[in-house]
Amino acid sequence: QVQLAESGGGMVQAGGSLRLACAAFGRTFNSNTMAWFRQAPGKEREYVGAIWWSTGSTYYADSVKGRFTISRDGAKNTMYLQMNSLKPGDTAVYYCAAGRQGPSMSRDHYDYWGQGTQVTVSS
């Protein structure tokens, strides 16, 4: 099995930045896609973005496009989420996910999930 672990969450003021990391642990990592989701209190878990692991191609939700950047270090099996120009609406628990299928905004396409890391943006 693959274990995912997020890190880097915290509290920042609006307009600030945070960098999240998601490390994948497993004897064999064969997932084609890693993705970021987030969930605010009382709301459904929503798609943030994804990366096609082999090529590094990235995809983003419209709400974060231009502000968030996904990258990966293949040698470390680690995905990053650079978040700039943060808004109070970005406050949520951020989860990373991995799946054997290609990039998708659907939760059903992902096989592994991390425990989540809290991001809080104050006004």
Side-chain angles (χ1 to χ4, degrees), residues 20-34:
L20 307 184
C22 174
F25 302 90
R27 187 171 65 248
T28 302
F29 183 67
N30 60 356
S31 296
N32 288 321
T33 303
M34 293 186 72

Side-chain angles (χ1 to χ4, degrees), residues 57-80:
S57 297
T58 54
Y59 310 85
Y60 301 95
D62 289 341
S63 60
V64 305
K65 191 174 300 182
R67 299 188 298 122
F68 291 10
T69 302
I70 296 172
S71 61
R72 57 104 171 91
D73 186 331
K76 297 181 179 180
N77 284 335
T78 299
M79 174 180 64
Y80 302 93

Side-chain angles (χ1 to χ4, degrees), residues 46-62:
E46 67 173 344
Y47 171 81
V48 174
I51 185 167
W52 182 264
W53 197 256
S54 62
T55 67
S57 297
T58 54
Y59 310 85
Y60 301 95
D62 289 341

Side-chain angles (χ1 to χ4, degrees), residues 93-110:
V93 177
Y94 283 70
Y95 298 89
C96 69
R100 299 176 183 178
Q101 302 182 55
S104 173
M105 62 185 298
S106 174
R107 293 176 56 195
D108 294 337
H109 284 72
Y110 298 94

Side-chain angles (χ1 to χ4, degrees), residues 11-17 84-91 120-123:
M11 179 180 294
V12 297
Q13 294 185 9
S17 299
N84 299 324
S85 301
L86 284 162
K87 305 174 181 179
D90 296 318
T91 296
T120 302
V121 184
S122 61
S123 60

